[in-house]
Amino acid sequence: MKIAFVHSKCKPFRYETFEALQNMYDIDFYFTDSIVETLENKHEIKSVKIPCMSDFHYAADLRKKLESKDYDIYISTDLGYHITYITYSIAKKNKKKFILWNEQWKNILHPRRLLLTYSLENRILRNADAILGFGRKAKEFSINRGAKKEKVILTPNIVPNQISLDSEQTKNHSEKKVVLSIARLIPFKGQDYLIKAFKKVYEQRKDIKLVIAGEGPRYKKLLHLVEKLELSECVEITGKAVKGNEKWSLFNSCDIFVLPSVYRITPEAWGLVVNEAAMMKKPIITTNMTGVDGEIVRHQHSGLVVKEKNIDELAEAIEYLLDNEEERERFGEYANQIVKEEYNLNVLLASFDKAIKVATLG
């Protein structure tokens, strides 16, 4: 059984998954960016980003490369990509099996998606031989858009456990409790709402500090907001990418981790940084506009989930965890247990294998 796996990017956190898959199956990988040298049977597809098309990359030579070989199963990534449309069309033309690897759990509010490709996306969802849905939200989304329930397989979104640090050197020894957020500085990450919520908490207590780590186009706007709210002494925005062990050091030095994502054209597909926070046994606060809501972050069990853009609710959640050390420990331990048991490579590979059986056995 020969498999073609088409994916937009070969990001570092996916390497472990791709390497494991190539050890299990006769599989060719096709990527639209630079390729990891350790992967065998890999092909780099040239693509061009179309301006104002919501990260739409046109891959002109993908069809030719896929049709140069005879595959039994074609797998492609999320609904919004040109490579998915091409891969699906080739699979159906050749009467082969098609599997969708899908993170999307909410409609993308972009004109191209709503006006031009919405019907095509529905067709793909209805006719896919199997769908790997990252979490229950993605599964329900696929079913609501026309996918057959028995064709949708839950799969975990995972990151490799690469924690490497000196815990004593990096833990928080200051008198101030640290609230941490790590994410790109872009609109749907919601850092502006976190800063405003932090202001409310800071008005009641001065023993706290907010660290926002990451880089992105909203850096200056967020800095201006911090200055406007007179929080410069207690809010740090790094403005640079978090690299290597710096991420683990940041996690270890914080008391609470927050991912305040909001729905702006697109929601947070998952929030893999939450997986990492859970690995570090950190209490987590996130919003209902993340894929991890109800998955890793189960409200009042492994963390707290607040409504997106709700500054008061977010402030209350932060204050509650700051005041309750036992709850912080309980949430962190349970989140860590969930990640270890349910969001690991073995579970992912088992779901992948199940999707192939569903697709081939019909």
Side-chain angles (χ1 to χ4, degrees), residues 157-176:
N157 213 348
I158 70 168
V159 292
N161 190 341
Q162 298 176 333
I163 299 173
S164 177
L165 49 78
D166 185 328
S167 298
E168 286 305 313
Q169 288 182 358
T170 57
K171 70 168 54 173
N172 182 16
H173 293 292
S174 71
E175 294 181 0
K176 292 190 174 183

Side-chain angles (χ1 to χ4, degrees), residues 70-247:
D70 184 25
Y71 293 105
D72 301 292
I73 298 176
Y74 295 82
I75 302 171
S76 189
T77 187
D78 291 314
L79 285 170
Y81 292 90
H82 175 249
I83 57 175
T84 297
Y85 308 150
I86 294 299
T87 306
Y88 170 79
S89 67
I90 291 173
K92 292 306 171 182
K93 173 187 172 184
N94 295 332
K95 297 182 179 179
K96 303 294 186 178
K97 303 300 181 180
F98 175 80
I99 298 175
L100 180 67
W101 167 285
N102 186 48
E103 284 185 303
Q104 187 178 340
W105 61 271
K106 198 169 181 66
N107 289 330
I108 308 301
L109 303 179
H110 188 279
R112 174 182 71 81
R113 300 288 299 272
L114 294 173
L115 300 176
L116 299 178
T117 62
Y118 190 84
S119 60
L120 175 58
E121 293 169 14
N122 285 348
R123 188 186 311 164
I124 292 173
L125 288 166
R126 287 195 304 268
N127 296 315
D129 296 287
I131 298 172
L132 283 160
F134 285 95
R136 292 164 186 82
K137 285 186 174 182
K139 179 176 181 176
E140 291 303 315
F141 171 83
S142 297
I143 294 170
N144 290 338
R145 288 275 298 266
K148 298 179 179 66
K149 185 176 181 179
E150 63 273 15
K151 296 288 187 180
V152 186
I153 312 302
L154 277 174
T155 191
N157 213 348
I158 70 168
V159 292
N161 190 341
Q162 298 176 333
I163 299 173
S164 177
L165 49 78
D166 185 328
S167 298
E168 286 305 313
Q169 288 182 358
T170 57
K171 70 168 54 173
N172 182 16
H173 293 292
S174 71
E175 294 181 0
K176 292 190 174 183
K177 290 184 170 62
V178 176
V179 178
L180 172 68
S181 186
I182 302 176
R184 287 198 65 213
L185 307 181
I186 52 179
F188 79 82
K189 295 295 184 178
Q191 289 100 343
D192 47 343
Y193 295 95
L194 174 57
I195 293 169
K196 292 174 183 177
F198 185 82
K199 169 70 172 179
K200 285 183 169 290
V201 181
Y202 190 69
E203 288 173 347
Q204 304 301 318
R205 56 191 300 166
K206 305 301 180 186
D207 64 332
I208 55 174
K209 177 182 179 180
L210 172 62
V211 177
I212 296 176
E215 64 177 352
R218 289 180 63 83
Y219 176 61
K220 291 184 178 179
K221 287 185 177 181
L222 294 173
L223 273 183
H224 177 70
L225 177 60
V226 169
E227 293 168 0
K228 179 182 177 182
L229 296 178
E230 300 180 340
L231 294 172
S232 298
E233 292 185 359
C234 59
V235 176
E236 176 187 355
I237 305 177
T238 67
K240 62 179 182 179
V242 180
K243 298 181 179 179
N245 287 338
E246 182 185 1
K247 179 181 289 184

